[in-house]
Amino acid sequence: MYVLVTYDVATSDIGGARWLRRVAKVCLQHGQRVQNSVFECSVDPGQFDQMKHELLERIDSEKDSLRFYHLGKGWRSKVEHVGVKPSYDPEGFLCI
């Protein structure tokens, strides 16, 4: 499954920047950052449930927000990229 994860974490409170980094770290474990608070994640249902659980533990739902966009199997036709950052292909060739 292909999921777009976005978040907005309040940083005006003491420790807010730390919570922001914790949310980003979870997202980085499951996907690719495409903008500051936007990640594209190619995960199976179990991985999605795990990621969502970890993220919900790291936000304050009274101040912060998470959004999950389930793009499905036809995600390539739903993603259009324009601009300076190269587009990300999670199913493409990986060279280490």
Side-chain angles (χ1 to χ4, degrees), residues 9-17 20 63-64:
V9 175
T11 57
S12 57
D13 296 343
I14 296 174
L20 180 67
K63 302 175 192 171
D64 308 327

Side-chain angles (χ1 to χ4, degrees), residues 45-57:
Q47 291 169 327
F48 174 73
D49 289 342
Q50 177 67 30
M51 175 180 64
K52 185 175 178 181
H53 174 75
E54 290 176 21
L55 289 170
L56 291 173
E57 288 181 334

Side-chain angles (χ1 to χ4, degrees), residues 8-21 58-65:
D8 188 16
V9 175
T11 57
S12 57
D13 296 343
I14 296 174
R18 180 181 55 203
W19 288 108
L20 180 67
R21 286 190 301 274
R58 287 165 176 80
I59 69 158
D60 179 346
S61 60
E62 298 292 320
K63 302 175 192 171
D64 308 327
S65 68

Side-chain angles (χ1 to χ4, degrees), residues 84-96:
V84 296
K85 291 185 178 180
S87 186
Y88 165 66
D89 182 4
E91 298 171 356
F93 180 74
L94 176 63
C95 182
I96 298 178

